[in-house]
Amino acid sequence: MSERWLPNFLCSSYSRSARFFIMDVLYTSGIRFAETLQVHLSGLEHFWLWASFLGDPKCIFIVYFPLTYFLDQKVGVKVLWLGLISEWLNIVCKWFLFGERPFWWVFESGFSSKEEVLLHQFPATCETGPGIGLGWLLESRIPLERKLSFYLWTALSLYLSTMMTYWALLTLGVDLNWSITLATKWCANPSWIRMETRPFSSLCRDVATVLGLGLALHSSYYTQLKGKRLSWPQRTCCAGLALVVLQLLSEAVEPQDVALWYGLSFVKYATFPWVVVALLPKAVSMAISKATQPHKD
């Protein structure tokens, strides 16, 4: 990445040059691989876009969590915890790694002026956060059902630790908006710049999900169904409904005002666990119970 985004104490020494050389080799290889896919497998464009969607961290909350939860409740909760903690670690660590995105690196590095670049941009590629992900967090001990205070303190801890890291880096002179600046500058279509790709949108999503999960597991609906095992037809119905409802809620109302956007996003993701864990199982159970009741003459 360009040195102007780094604080002075990181802009010197041999390690800096070595780091940039290694990363440039990786970025170049990635660019060429992406070009090969786009040029020689152009007919699979929709497949790759769909694969990109399934790799979006948002899918942890609206696809993988509900599907795994209705297969096995404990596994579903573990998937949700692993996803949100992994995403939270990505937020913090990417601030230290200064990873590039291909669509701006080809221009900022001067690569496009030296060699022909056939790389095409899409809405999914115009992410505003730094690159270089950490992948999945491998963790064997995942909290399942705890007291409500545990979820409140966990949500608060995630928020405060992230904000402390953010302000500490700002104090040291690190420009943490560098990736947003480059994404806005080099994205082919300004309308492809999405708020949900910003680091703080991930933090909002993770904190809201922890809080929402705690409230859902202590709700009256969940308590009433606790110990009752849904049949496979009921689980299938719940899973299908969850995919539709969560997707609709996820895409519903995208305000332009930043504060409103974050506020609505927080409410959405705090609601998602309750919809999956409590609302839909309760609604399906009531509907089937009512349908199987004998009718009075």
Side-chain angles (χ1 to χ4, degrees), residues 184-204:
T184 305
K185 178 181 179 181
W186 293 114
C187 185
N189 187 336
S191 65
W192 293 348
I193 300 292
R194 297 166 293 150
M195 282 286 295
E196 65 182 22
T197 64
R198 295 192 177 191
F200 278 113
S201 69
S202 297
L203 174 63
C204 178

Side-chain angles (χ1 to χ4, degrees), residues 3 12-22:
E3 296 179 10
S12 60
S13 81
Y14 168 79
S15 61
R16 177 204 63 189
S17 300
R19 182 177 69 252
F20 285 136
F21 173 76
I22 294 172

Side-chain angles (χ1 to χ4, degrees), residues 25-77:
V25 171
L26 291 176
Y27 293 139
T28 301
S29 301
I31 293 294
R32 292 310 184 197
F33 178 70
E35 284 182 332
T36 300
L37 292 179
Q38 291 183 358
V39 172
H40 298 290
L41 299 175
S42 58
L44 296 176
E45 177 182 318
H46 293 293
F47 168 79
W48 295 118
L49 290 175
W50 179 245
S52 297
F53 167 75
L54 293 178
D56 190 326
K58 182 175 70 173
C59 284
I60 296 166
F61 307 90
I62 66 174
V63 177
Y64 304 128
F65 166 53
L67 287 179
T68 53
Y69 182 81
F70 290 114
L71 286 174
D72 184 285
Q73 292 184 1
K74 291 184 178 180
V75 173
V77 174

